[in-house]
């Protein structure tokens, strides 16, 4: 039984290492905005004070454990858009079937807002 548990622990450790070694940058968000498109063509906008983390890798964005593709392959669908300004990443927009949700990156004065995951 101990060998089985040790094997599972080793497998999980290897999986976690591979996930983290893909590289990427980690950001935090502190505000969201959800835009819903109504049947009459109008938009309904909701502001939120949600917070969480965003990890950006080569082709995907991981927001609170959910993965979205911002650089799709030929047959894949675009799921997220990265919005940049002069200071760097400003927000991430996730395209939803009924609208979109925008996650605004927190900017901490005097501190770097991104850290590289090794």
């Amino acid at each position: 039984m101990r060998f089985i548990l040790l094997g599972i622990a080793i497998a999980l450790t290897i999986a976690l290492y591979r996930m983290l070694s893909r590289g990427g940058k980690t950001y935090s968000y502190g505000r969201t905005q959800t835009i819903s498109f109504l049947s009459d063509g109008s938009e309904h906008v909701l502001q939120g004070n949600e917070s969480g983390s965003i990890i950006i890798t080569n082709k995907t964005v991981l927001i609170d454990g959910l993965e979205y593709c911002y650089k799709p392959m030929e047959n894949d669908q675009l799921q997220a858009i990265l919005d940049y300004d002069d200071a760097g990443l400003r927000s991430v927009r996730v395209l939803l079937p009924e609208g979109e949700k925008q996650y605004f990156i927190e900017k901490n004065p005097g501190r770097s807002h991104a850290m590289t995951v090794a």
Side-chain angles (χ1 to χ4, degrees):
M1 183 68 175
R2 288 182 184 172
F3 292 114
I4 294 172
L5 292 175
L6 181 62
I8 292 172
I10 290 172
L12 290 174
T13 302
I14 292 170
L16 179 63
Y17 174 76
R18 286 187 179 175
M19 247 178 30
L20 293 176
S21 67
R22 285 196 292 175
K25 292 187 177 183
T26 301
Y27 299 86
S28 62
Y29 67 90
R31 181 172 66 93
T32 62
Q33 176 176 292
T34 304
I35 301 172
S36 300
F37 302 111
L38 303 177
S39 59
D40 64 356
S42 62
E43 296 179 353
H44 180 66
V45 179
L46 288 174
Q47 302 287 333
N49 288 328
E50 302 172 53
S51 62
S53 65
I54 298 174
I55 300 172
I56 298 177
T57 62
N58 292 338
K59 296 181 181 186
T60 61
V61 176
L62 193 65
I63 302 175
D64 297 329
L66 297 174
E67 188 174 51
Y68 303 97
C69 182
Y70 71 91
K71 284 186 181 177
M73 299 297 275
E74 292 176 17
N75 299 330
D76 294 334
Q77 188 175 13
L78 179 68
Q79 298 172 322
I81 299 171
L82 307 181
D83 294 325
Y84 289 91
D85 61 12
D86 294 336
L89 184 64
R90 183 177 70 88
S91 67
V92 175
R93 291 187 300 150
V94 174
L95 307 175
L96 304 170
E98 65 281 351
E100 65 182 48
K101 186 166 186 176
Q102 191 167 11
Y103 299 85
F104 292 95
I105 304 301
E106 288 184 333
K107 306 280 183 171
N108 294 331
R111 291 181 50 188
S112 173
H113 64 279
M115 62 184 224
T116 303
V117 177

